[in-house]
């Protein structure tokens, strides 16, 4: 394993007030993706012989299987309401701390004032940009903190009475922290990142997605660059939108525009082909 | 679809105090399993021509793919701490009520006195057979009920202040009820049933597994019978245990024993072959 | 099940010279997708209350789980080299005819002259638009037909000598037809369709994808329309391409352009937001 | 990575006449399984503190998720008819050599005389123990070898005429070798091994399963031992068989029998509990 990857293994990336994510182990890197892709191409790959170009080609054309050849394992500490969103990504392996086997630790997520915001008016599933007035924000924090203290007080009281852990824990709040080991391949991890970095994702999971993104820039820099170009910062137009675009795109780009924006050879040709179809 | 299956579609099986499970739709039955298996055997199946025999053969030899050809969709209302165990079964499709989009309903699971038990001494993950003395049991119920009322009180207060739903809900207790649509194939459902009917499964999920079992007896009676015989009530002996069994099994069964216990033809032959290997 | 869906169950769609695909069973339709999505939205969905609008919204925002709530089962007869591409779609259930259990039927795929084409010069993985001259095309057909007859002649000779089927079949050609039952959910089926309708997919699998597309237009017409608009006929621009687009898009669309091309309300607003970001 | 694991990375295990399997990379070992399991048990694991004991406990009770935390990547060269059985294991990642991109190499599997056997009379899907008489065996080998040479002769002739590779290859025999990278977690790999080491598996895939078994003994020795004891060499009795066993088991094992056969503490207690239920 290369030194710069070795360096981030085990490193704790702090997330939220008590959470973290750390890379436990990784199998493979950009070179492993190229190696797997080349098996498919066999003898026939003389012309696609540059790693960056091949990775960009694979990403652009959604040849996803070589990206599945890299596997990453994380140790994550996160609030349960985030764990519930996270686990919806099914193509992954998980070992979670068990509240049936072990006593839950008295640690809950308390949002900063900055994150105690009003319900969004136009986005039914999210918070707006607007925070509560400071006084009300403080009141909410107090409500939350008292609720958490109360729930853990009751929990401990029940445990002391001898109540089974699996019963005593049923009233713990969704803000309680849990921990797990989580293992996933790079293709599915990028899918997770795309969904959870999105502005519609809940802030508290976005924080973890951002930490993973930081790691991926180190572990698979070529893949990350291609992912940004072709997936994260791409724009998708529907059939109807394309029909409108045809009317407002009045000129084809000249060579200088392509050059200046980094579109060369294959990528430039494919772009012009797309625009041609718009005409 | 046959009448007796049609009859249970939509029927609510009550589970716990406010929960339920109901079958929304089903594709296939015992005949569909046989039909799929026969594709594999092509022309060559003249001798295994009886449905029950074929299904028992498939189950006995763990030929699982024909059982995947039946698909079931359920609507389930269940406490969140059970939903967290349930979702670990990854080969399934889920649409869950969202506490980001919609206000959570004020309904929590309150265990009956009978289920408020002491921590098991020899089973780290479960409750014992022993309940608390009635007075203490009542105290626990009160603690739980007050905690639930308090958490929902705080929740509503925050919503009234305009706090975003996705923030306000973070202190709701794990005993809060949620709902989902859950779709799974029969092979994976039987795996779910085997794990969740087990005496080590938490009582509150076992209740749902039992309701599903009741439905399966109606929907796929031949499969259910084979499942009981070969999976649910089987006994598995390890290599070391087998070595001991060899010493304490002193006689081969006679024809009468086999007959009396329902072992005929293929099943009897395979049983004798197993015992032969023990000698 | 509605009449027009009932009508296509069992109907054989001919594919290639001896192949076919037929729908064996289906669970759910457009309404089932809406029903599952509404569980997520709970009480909060008063405003998104029109099925078509909701399905378009789900497709546009890649809320994929409600589409998983529809399940389809097919019976397919296809050449083995196509079966090998097909099976790469892992999220599906399969029961295939077994050459170990049963004798393989003497049926092979022989391409029409129209499909016996030259290797593409610029697409390493495909055939060009150019067919061989007729004489050479005929020669290829003869080579293929003689090869198939020879392989099956040898196969039968070995079977007559008593050779085990699983050994005798090892030299059968990849063009031999096999059969299977194949069950998949609608979300994964649409993914299959998108990849296999693509002009880079091999012609012989595209034929099957086209047959499935015909069925889906009947079974889930609203979903199919949304799929065409947002997935099949969409155009995706990379970050670099977007940078160029900014230079050649000189005007925002006016209301008439939007209206004429069918972009209303939510879709129009989201389109203008995308274009705004391009400025 | 430990030295003895490092030593087998890249090492080619020959399989059949031209095939091989080699370990490309591995993430984790017995310690990684224990580490993941301990996350679940949190503080509560003081008593299950020995790695071997914990791994045996996990295997015995089918707590499978910690075994998913080890991931292995292989490079395999194998005949296509075996690749078709292998790919049925869906929870894995694959990159295969493509006959559309690249010319197929002229290498086919030719069974040794020893493996050219008669169809089994009582096992519809397999070969018997009986080989053909030498003269006939030779005749079969000749038929196969000539068929392979003929098919590749035709293939090359078509390629020289300029026929697209994806068309020219359709008559290649199922015995043609292909190659792939294959990545899978340990839990699913053990499932593969159990099915493919079985005497009912086709000989030609068993050879690969045996090679993987050799590697696993080195990579995860504790897991392999537990797998042999509880899965590979276990014996499973159905409900009806148990009813018969009750009649022929006349005595409980004494302490000496348990001791001699390596059943101690937890395993001995669980065994006696099983036998108790038989009474």
């Amino acid at each position: 394993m290369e030194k710069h990857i070795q360096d981030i293994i085990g490193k704790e990336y702090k997330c939220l007030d008590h959470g973290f994510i750390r890379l436990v182990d990784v199998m493979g890197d950009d070179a492993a993706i190229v190696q797997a892709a080349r098996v498919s191409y066999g003898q026939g790959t003389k012309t696609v012989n540059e790693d960056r170009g091949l990775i960009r080609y694979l990403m652009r054309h959604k040849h996803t299987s070589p990206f599945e050849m890299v596997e990453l394992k994380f140790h994550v500490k996160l609030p349960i309401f985030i764990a519930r969103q996270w686990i919806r990504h099914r193509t992954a392996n998980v070992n979670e701390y068990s509240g049936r086997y072990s006593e839950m630790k008295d640690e809950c997520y308390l949002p900063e004032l900055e994150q105690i915001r009003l319900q969004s008016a136009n986005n039914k599933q999210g918070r707006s940009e607007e925070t509560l007035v400071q006084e009300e924000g403080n009141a909410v924090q107090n409500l939350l903190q008292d609720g958490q203290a109360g729930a853990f007080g009751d929990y401990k009281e029940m445990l002391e009475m001898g109540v089974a852990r699996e019963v005593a824990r049923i009233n713990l709040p969704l803000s309680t922290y849990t921990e797990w080991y989580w293992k996933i391949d790079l293709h599915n991890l990028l899918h997770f990142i795309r969904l959870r970095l999105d502005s519609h994702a809940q802030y508290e999971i976005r924080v973890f997605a951002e930490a993973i993104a930081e790691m991926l820039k180190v572990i698979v820099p070529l893949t990350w660059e291609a992912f940004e170009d072709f997936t994260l910062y791409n724009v998708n137009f529907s059939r109807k939108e394309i029909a409108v675009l045809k009317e407002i795109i009045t000129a084809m780009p000249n060579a200088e525009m392509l050059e200046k924006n980094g579109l060369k050879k294959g990528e430039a040709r494919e772009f012009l082909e797309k625009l041609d179809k718009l005409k």
Side-chain angles (χ1 to χ4, degrees), chain A:
Chain A
M1 197 180 292
E2 291 187 44
K3 176 77 173 59
H4 60 283
I5 299 181
Q6 190 71 53
D7 282 351
I8 60 168
I9 287 192
K11 186 180 157 190
E12 229 174 79
Y13 289 71
K14 299 271 177 207
C15 295
L16 308 177
D17 50 357
H18 304 295
F20 63 75
I21 182 164
R22 59 186 193 81
L23 182 68
V24 173
D25 204 351
V26 57
M27 173 200 271
D29 51 16
D30 283 329
I33 296 163
V34 167
Q35 178 192 41
R38 293 249 157 89
V39 168
S40 304
Y41 301 142
Q43 309 284 12
T45 51
K46 298 288 153 50
T47 58
V48 193
N49 54 9
E50 207 253 318
D51 285 6
R52 180 169 174 273
L54 177 52
I55 284 177
R56 292 179 73 78
Y57 176 88
L58 295 170
M59 186 71 76
R60 202 155 79 241
H61 293 278
K62 301 197 192 303
H63 291 196
T64 56
S65 58
F67 298 104
E68 297 178 10
M69 287 292 159
V70 173
E71 189 86 12
L72 303 102
K73 195 189 324 184
F74 299 96
H75 180 190
V76 195
K77 185 172 167 189
L78 71 177
I80 289 173
F81 69 94
I82 293 306
R84 298 223 314 128
Q85 296 177 3
W86 196 301
I87 200 83
R88 296 300 312 276
H89 298 263
R90 287 161 293 186
T91 311
N93 312 110
V94 181
N95 271 270
E96 186 177 355
Y97 186 91
S98 166
R100 299 183 71 205
Y101 274 98
S102 306
E103 188 178 328
M104 294 301 288
K105 289 171 216 150
D106 181 1
E107 280 184 316
C108 293
Y109 166 62
L110 186 71
E112 297 180 12
L113 278 181
E114 167 60 24
Q115 288 304 327
I116 300 178
R117 307 227 197 117
L118 296 176
Q119 175 66 34
S120 170
N122 54 11
N123 173 6
K124 284 200 147 296
Q125 73 172 315
R127 60 191 91 167
S128 69
E129 292 302 309
E130 200 180 341
T131 56
L132 273 67
V133 296
Q134 169 134 17
E135 193 172 277
E136 289 200 321
N138 288 333
V140 168
Q141 279 192 325
N142 289 340
L143 269 183
L144 289 172
Q145 205 157 19
D146 291 352
Q148 293 165 355
F152 267 90
D154 291 352
Y155 179 57
K156 280 170 186 163
E157 193 174 333
M158 287 186 273
L159 291 184
E160 272 159 30
M161 292 164 78
V163 174
R165 284 184 289 274
E166 66 174 16
V167 175
R169 54 86 186 254
I170 71 170
N171 261 14
L172 291 180
L174 289 168
S175 54
T176 308
Y177 274 93
T178 184
E179 289 185 40
W180 62 32
Y181 270 57
W182 185 61
K183 182 169 137 294
I184 191 166
D185 69 62
L186 180 58
H187 165 62
N188 280 287
L189 182 59
L190 291 174
H191 186 67
F192 175 93
I193 295 283
R194 190 177 66 71
L195 294 180
R196 302 308 180 177
L197 272 191
D198 190 273
S199 63
H200 290 84
Q202 183 157 359
Y203 163 77
E204 285 80 9
I205 198 166
R206 224 156 56 215
V207 167
F208 288 89
E210 284 163 4
I212 299 172
E214 286 312 305
M215 298 186 207
L216 291 185
K217 285 172 197 168
V218 175
I219 300 169
V220 283
L222 297 178
T223 298
W224 184 261
E225 183 202 17
F227 175 66
E228 285 196 336
D229 281 355
F230 299 115
T231 307
L232 205 53
Y233 300 126
N234 77 340
V235 180
N236 217 334
F237 291 103
S238 73
R239 176 162 62 172
K240 289 182 205 296
E241 291 171 344
I242 288 296
V244 178
L245 276 188
K246 284 181 188 179
E247 304 199 36
I248 61 176
I249 292 180
T250 48
M252 288 291 275
N254 57 40
E256 190 201 352
M257 290 177 191
L258 298 174
E259 178 75 21
K260 186 179 65 183
N261 288 297
L263 284 156
K264 296 175 214 155
K265 289 188 294 185
E267 292 185 37
R269 193 189 61 239
E270 290 177 23
F271 180 42
L272 294 174
E273 284 167 10
K274 272 192 265 187
L275 291 176
D276 258 339
K277 282 195 290 190
L278 295 197
K279 280 197 296 201

